[in-house]
Amino acid sequence: MYSTLERKYQRIQKELMAGAIALGGVLLIGTLWYRFVEGWSWENAAYMTVITLATVGYGETQPLGSRGRLFTIALILLGVVNIGYIVNRFTEAIIEGYFQEGIRLRQQRRLMESLTEHYIICGFSRTGRQIAREFRAEGVPFVVIDSELESVQRAQGEGYIVYQGDATLDDTLFHVGIERAICIVAALPSDAENLYTVLSAKTLNPDIRAIARASTEEALQKLQRGGADAVISPYITGGKRMAAAALRPQVLDFVDGILSGADRQLYMEEFLLDSSLSPFVGQTLQKAKLRSQTGALVLAIRRVDGNLIGGPTGDTVLMPGDTLICMGTAEQLRSLNQVLIPIGSQILRKPKNQ
């Protein structure tokens, strides 16, 4: 499935190519006529055809009879129409910016082909735009998919890599490198579209993490059954946050301050303990001395079986496959990143200053 912009660019390319082929055909017909009907040499036949099509006003190379002059008139008319068509298409392409658009599309395609371990945002509505801002603040590579030209142009205006297409189609997902991506976020306005997107993504890349938006509790359950790793309902989540803002405003402000934004002082990150790479597997937190070495605080540990240990003590043993949820400054987490491996990346996803 090609985007609207790609179809326009391909259309103007085909029209210009058709005009060039037609002009070449007229040139060949004229040359053959003067060579075989008028009996001229190849050089004179080609020269006469060129000056006739170019309408430069030169005289006849050799005297022509009535038949030859009638053919020359027809040749002039064909040349004027054909060249006029090419000039018209070329002028439209320049005015509409099709050539610049073609260059941009090729650059964008190369960028998408070079992406690896990236994130895919499906839908550039209000939810998708906020997700894109957060991803940009975190400095992670991502690509946006949307079927609406207006949304695509808006994403382009904000400097995002964007592809116009239907996110529920396998072909569209292949275009944005679904097989190399680590996470897809289905933020489309329709629950059915989000479900199809998750199913397609999980089929093409079973290891990808799928996050989906749900409007209703029923859709939430269906998306979970469809393979979504996490399902977010804006209404349920919004209600919970509003209640938290009313009951525990300072706690909510603190959590918001470390979860999002580019001007924060504290950050949170997830780290996965790999027994083949981490020297701390099998040690207690006290013996590992992560806090004293880096200054970062281990807030919780998620075991492989899903058990969550909140506020682990010094006697808590670090096990293979544990996920450490840590908090600290950018420098502290960068130091911790030297000894632990953050999930989905070998590089700490530190927010960039805006």
Side-chain angles (χ1 to χ4, degrees), residues 4-160:
T4 304
L5 297 175
E6 286 178 309
R7 286 198 295 270
K8 287 182 179 179
Y9 177 63
Q10 290 177 346
R11 177 181 60 82
I12 203 71
Q13 272 189 319
K14 290 179 179 178
E15 290 175 349
L16 286 173
M17 183 63 68
I21 292 173
L23 182 61
V26 172
L27 181 64
L28 179 62
I29 291 171
T31 302
L32 293 174
W33 174 277
Y34 292 123
R35 173 68 182 87
F36 293 108
V37 177
E38 301 296 335
W40 296 0
S41 67
W42 284 108
E43 180 182 356
N44 286 338
Y47 179 72
M48 181 65 181
T49 304
V50 170
I51 63 174
T52 300
L53 293 177
T55 63
V56 294
Y58 289 177
E60 298 173 357
T61 304
Q62 295 183 28
L64 288 171
S66 298
R67 182 181 59 181
R69 289 185 176 181
L70 287 174
F71 174 78
T72 302
I73 292 173
L75 193 64
I76 291 174
L77 293 176
L78 285 173
V80 169
V81 171
N82 202 275
I83 293 175
Y85 175 81
I86 294 175
V87 170
N88 177 269
R89 298 291 87 192
F90 190 80
T91 304
E92 180 187 349
I94 294 177
I95 293 175
E96 297 293 334
Y98 289 139
F99 293 133
Q100 298 91 318
E101 187 63 33
I103 294 172
R104 189 196 61 76
L105 286 171
R106 287 193 294 271
Q107 292 175 339
Q108 179 176 275
R109 190 174 290 111
R110 285 195 294 268
L111 278 175
M112 285 192 289
E113 290 173 352
S114 66
L115 286 175
T116 182
E117 292 192 349
H118 59 288
Y119 294 71
I120 300 172
I121 302 174
C122 303
F124 200 65
S125 58
R126 288 174 296 179
T127 303
R129 289 196 292 271
Q130 186 59 43
I131 296 170
R133 293 189 190 104
E134 293 296 328
F135 281 0
R136 170 178 278 179
E138 291 284 350
V140 298
F142 67 94
V143 59
V144 176
I145 302 175
D146 201 288
S147 59
E148 298 295 330
L149 179 59
E150 183 179 351
S151 298
V152 170
Q153 291 174 335
R154 182 166 186 171
Q156 288 174 344
E158 296 186 25
Y160 301 136

Side-chain angles (χ1 to χ4, degrees), residues 173-251:
L173 295 178
F174 275 126
H175 271 94
V176 297
I178 185 67
E179 69 279 5
R180 303 186 305 275
I182 60 174
C183 182
I184 184 169
V185 182
L188 298 166
S190 167
D191 291 331
E193 289 179 317
N194 288 327
L195 179 58
Y196 278 122
T197 300
V198 170
L199 289 172
S200 297
K202 283 293 186 177
T203 301
L204 300 175
N205 183 358
D207 296 327
I208 197 169
R209 180 171 173 80
I211 315 297
R213 174 187 182 274
S215 301
T216 64
E217 292 188 14
E218 181 182 0
L220 187 148
Q221 295 171 358
K222 289 182 178 180
L223 282 162
Q224 288 175 335
R225 292 198 297 267
D229 297 283
V231 183
I232 309 298
S233 173
Y235 306 108
I236 296 174
T237 303
K240 290 180 178 179
R241 290 177 63 84
M242 291 179 71
L247 300 174
R248 292 174 291 276
Q250 298 304 319
V251 173

